[in-house]
Amino acid sequence: MKYTRLIIGIAAILATLWVIIGEQMTAASANATVNAPVVTLRAPVAGTLEMQGHALGARLGQNELLATVNDPLADSVRLYDLQLEADTAGAAYARLEADIEQKKKARADLEARAERFHAARIEEIEARLKEARERVALLEASDESTGSAAASLADGVTVEDSRRPGEPVTRALALSHARERVETLEIELATAREGVYLGDGYNDAPYAGQRMAQIDDELDSLNAALTETDAQRAAIERRMTRARQRLGRQSRAELRTPAEGMLFWETLQADAVTVQRGDPILRLVDCSRSMITLSVTERTFNTLRVGQDASFRFTGQSHLYPATVGRLAGSGARTIYANLAVPPSAKHLERYDVTLLVPSLNADPEIGCAVGRTGRAFFDGRPLDIFRGWFD
């Protein structure tokens, strides 16, 4: 019994030593801090800054207005030049429209004159053809038995007495001439009904018709010029639209939250000051990309690799967050903290820098934005982890 108690005591002492040594010998960080990238918002234009009065550390929603920059002296010369071009093109377009209307009116008048001429010309030819046919009938009805130029006609008038100017004296030649005249007038009437006029020497249409053809050519040219001017106006309008948009962006710009779940971290300019384009205005913390920054000893650092499993717990808490090694920066890693919210301490830089990625931390909107909270990171299992799991 005595030896049994001795063995149990020795076993308890060994177990205690194993726990103590195991807890102390486990690869762990000296310090670990919740960190996150910082986004710097810069002035897109020059002008007067107007802040919206957000409190430092305030949680921001996506596309939330943070500040505005107003420039009442934005350059609008280009817009005025385009407006002048648009006015000039509009005046040219109106002039072409007026010319086209005037040409159309003149063509309508000429078309009416041509129609009146066409009707009158057909009536004239029909009258001449009627008279020519009556002449042929008169000659055919003459007394052919005499065969002389002085033969009596049906009405008692001789062929010679009824001869037209330029008509042959003999009855046979006069009849042939009259028949030829009928055929000629019939051809002239048929072509006149089709709009072609014979007997005018060298013209196949009246002056009104020729002038109408000329006006049609002029209207084609004017319509082409009108289409070109309209295209120029449309192009100028598009350029004016872009110029107005550009002037709007130059005269007033808004600074808004680029993503959801950001912290209002730092104000770099005072309200109502004049800023230049590109000047830093605000700094925001992107909580959606939280990480754990820590430092370890050289011996522990040399045992780590990117992608290795790890765990993190906050100081004063027992809950462990699963993590993975995301970056091994080593010693003197000051430059990688230039765009992070929490800079490294001097003691941190004396050790070897490690970054952990903790997805479950980012998934929690409250803890994930707890920038600056500290804890410890572990890279190996520890003897008391099973008991910590029970308490969790």
Side-chain angles (χ1 to χ4, degrees):
M1 191 68 178
K2 179 179 179 180
Y3 293 104
T4 301
R5 293 178 180 176
L6 180 61
I7 293 173
I8 293 174
I10 294 174
I13 294 173
L14 292 176
T16 303
L17 292 175
W18 174 75
V19 170
I20 295 173
I21 295 173
E23 288 287 327
Q24 297 298 321
M25 294 297 293
T26 299
S29 65
N31 63 332
T33 304
V34 179
N35 218 330
V38 174
V39 178
T40 302
L41 300 184
R42 298 179 179 273
V45 297
T48 302
L49 180 65
E50 181 180 349
M51 306 293 293
Q52 296 301 309
H54 289 83
L56 293 179
R59 295 291 295 271
L60 303 173
Q62 187 173 5
N63 204 35
E64 187 172 344
L65 181 62
L66 302 176
T68 58
V69 181
N70 300 289
D71 184 9
L73 302 178
D75 187 6
S76 58
V77 175
R78 180 56 179 165
L79 181 59
Y80 293 153
D81 290 342
L82 289 173
Q83 184 64 57
L84 178 61
E85 292 183 21
D87 294 341
T88 303
Y93 189 86
R95 177 180 58 80
L96 289 171
E97 283 187 323
D99 289 345
I100 290 175
E101 290 300 320
Q102 188 273 332
K103 296 292 182 184
K104 287 181 177 179
K105 182 178 179 181
R107 190 189 186 284
D109 295 340
L110 290 172
E111 187 175 4
R113 289 176 55 187
E115 290 177 355
R116 292 195 298 268
F117 176 83
H118 180 73
R121 185 63 181 271
I122 290 178
E123 290 179 0
E124 176 193 1
I125 298 174
E126 287 177 342
R128 290 164 56 195
L129 179 59
K130 180 180 179 182
E131 191 271 341
R133 285 173 177 168
E134 290 177 351
R135 179 67 176 166
V136 170
L138 185 64
L139 290 173
E140 289 177 345
S142 64
D143 187 7
E144 297 179 358
S145 61
T146 60
S148 63
S152 298
L153 300 179
D155 57 357
V157 182
T158 64
V159 175
E160 184 176 358
D161 292 338
S162 64
R163 183 171 60 86
R164 301 291 185 268
E167 187 178 61
V169 177
T170 63
R171 189 200 60 79
L173 290 177
L175 181 58
S176 176
H177 182 270
R179 287 173 177 170
E180 178 185 358
R181 181 171 176 76
V182 169
E183 292 178 359
T184 302
L185 290 173
E186 287 178 343
I187 294 173
E188 188 174 345
L189 178 61
T191 56
R193 286 172 175 168
E194 295 178 357
V196 179
Y197 303 98
L198 303 178
D200 287 345
Y202 58 87
N203 290 332
D204 63 347
Y207 169 78
Q210 298 176 46
R211 180 60 182 149
M212 284 170 57
Q214 182 179 359
I215 289 179
D216 287 340
D217 292 338
E218 293 175 356
L219 282 174
D220 291 339
S221 298
L222 289 174
N223 284 321
L226 188 69
T227 301
E228 179 183 2
T229 304
D230 188 50
Q232 291 176 351
R233 290 173 60 192
I236 294 174
E237 286 294 335
R238 290 192 296 270
R239 292 161 59 192
M240 288 180 62
T241 300
R242 292 193 293 269
R244 290 191 187 98
Q245 294 173 349
R246 182 172 179 270
L247 180 60
R249 291 192 298 266
Q250 289 179 343
S251 59
R252 186 178 189 276
E254 296 181 347
L255 278 72
R256 294 181 176 272
T257 311
E260 181 76 24
M262 287 193 163
L263 288 181
F264 195 88
W265 192 248
E266 185 179 3
T267 302
L268 303 177
Q269 300 287 348
D271 190 21
V273 302
T274 300
V275 295
Q276 300 301 318
R277 181 179 180 181
D279 286 351
I281 305 297
L282 301 169
R283 300 184 75 196
L284 309 178
V285 174
D286 188 357
C287 298
S288 63
R289 295 190 292 165
S290 297
M291 65 189 74
I292 305 297
T293 55
L294 53 100
S295 61
V296 296
T297 62
E298 181 179 4
R299 186 181 69 84
T300 300
F301 181 83
N302 290 330
T303 64
L304 301 180
R305 66 182 185 280
V306 175
Q308 178 179 331
D309 290 336
S311 58
F312 169 78
R313 68 173 176 83
F314 287 104
T315 301
Q317 296 182 6
S318 60
H319 178 70
L320 290 175
Y321 293 90
T324 56
V325 177
R327 180 176 62 195
L328 299 173
S331 61
R334 180 184 295 275
T335 56
I336 65 173
Y337 285 84
N339 295 318
L340 293 180
V342 181
S345 64
K347 184 176 292 186
H348 179 104
L349 295 175
E350 295 176 359
R351 294 160 64 89
Y352 291 78
D353 184 85
V354 179
T355 299
L356 296 184
L357 303 179
V358 188
S360 59
L361 195 65
N362 292 332
D364 191 327
E366 295 298 330
I367 301 178
C369 227
V371 177
R373 288 188 61 179
T374 59
R376 293 192 67 189
F378 305 95
F379 305 99
D380 296 322
R382 293 177 295 164
L384 296 181
D385 283 345
I386 185 172
F387 300 104
R388 293 187 179 93
W390 292 349
F391 287 110
D392 290 342

